[in-house]
Amino acid sequence: MTRRQGRQLLLHTSRTQCLGPAVVAVLSLALTVSPCFVSSSRAQSRGADQRGSIRVDVNLVGVIASVLDKNNRPVPDLQRDQFEIYEEGKLQKIELFEPETQQPLDLVLMVDSSLSEVKELQFETDAAARFIGQVVRPDDRMGIFEFADTVTQLAGFSDNVPQLQSAVRHVIPGDGTALYDAVYLGSDALAKRPTDRRKVLILITDAGETTSRADFETARRAAVRAEALLYTIVIQPVKGENGRNTAGEHALETIADSTGGAMYYPGEVSQLDAIFDRINRELRTQYRMGYYPQPRPPQGIYRSIEVRVKGEYKVRYRKSYYSGGVAN
């Protein structure tokens, strides 16, 4: 048995607990991910005569916003009254506001190990190892995955930096590129994490797509419902658009915009450290907000969100959430 076969056998076992039994179940599982509300509170009022009880379910919709200046640098120190949140075009009352949130992070780092990435793989994994040491704090947790023709988990969620760095340095090249499966399964892993944490999915890839069982919309909806911010670093083996298939890049741009994440296109792999530093600084200056939607939405639908900031700023945030119930 090869080392890759052994890893895939271990992954098959772990997926029964974390990611589902196998990638072949992607399409059916995509419709059963848990709702994307950040928190839920239940109040009971009981009369003195004990004749009955009234239960009120109230769902707080959480929004993580990254605010950038004209030079794409994170903007700190903004106040609550500088923000407005709209749901389906209706202004909402901001009930929760936490600037430079200290809410812990759950991160999935996905490294493309397809043959097209072999040339730069050593540099990518070294830069990723440095990023792990920079971003993972004691309350944070990170999981390490690689993807080629399949998605393989190299390390479970942990704050053990040396262990995570060792895992990312043991990526094994493989055939094919299961790009949508990587987004889907990474999002699914994050969806299973506690709800009181920020979810971040980071991909290092050339954005090729060849072997996924999931399709684009399945991957996109999984990321939205997991409330995962997608950050993608695209390593382009061919710089000109005429010489490469850009469909995967456009797909990832759409998912990143839907979730409030970002896309990066380094001209050289030597720029990876600077990009990882930008991601880390952004994650440490995000604004966490929450509101109780009015009017209250029916269950089982996607609702659009718009965040506005007063001033000449660019703001990134998830554009929709799923209101729970049975998926469409």
Side-chain angles (χ1 to χ4, degrees), residues 220-261:
R220 188 191 71 82
R221 289 196 175 195
V224 169
R225 296 181 66 181
E227 301 182 15
L229 299 166
L230 175 63
Y231 292 88
T232 302
I233 303 172
V234 178
I235 309 297
Q236 300 169 329
V238 179
K239 301 305 179 187
E241 287 197 7
N242 292 334
R244 69 179 193 274
N245 184 348
T246 60
E249 295 175 22
H250 296 321
L252 290 174
E253 286 174 353
T254 300
I255 299 174
D257 182 67
S258 297
T259 64

Side-chain angles (χ1 to χ4, degrees), residues 39-41 57-61 87 91-96 290-297 321:
S39 64
S40 175
S41 62
D57 292 336
V58 180
N59 294 299
L60 180 72
V61 177
E87 179 174 313
L91 182 63
Q92 305 293 313
K93 181 181 179 182
I94 299 175
E95 301 284 357
L96 168 69
Y291 67 94
Y292 297 104
Q294 296 295 331
R296 185 176 179 181
Y321 73 93

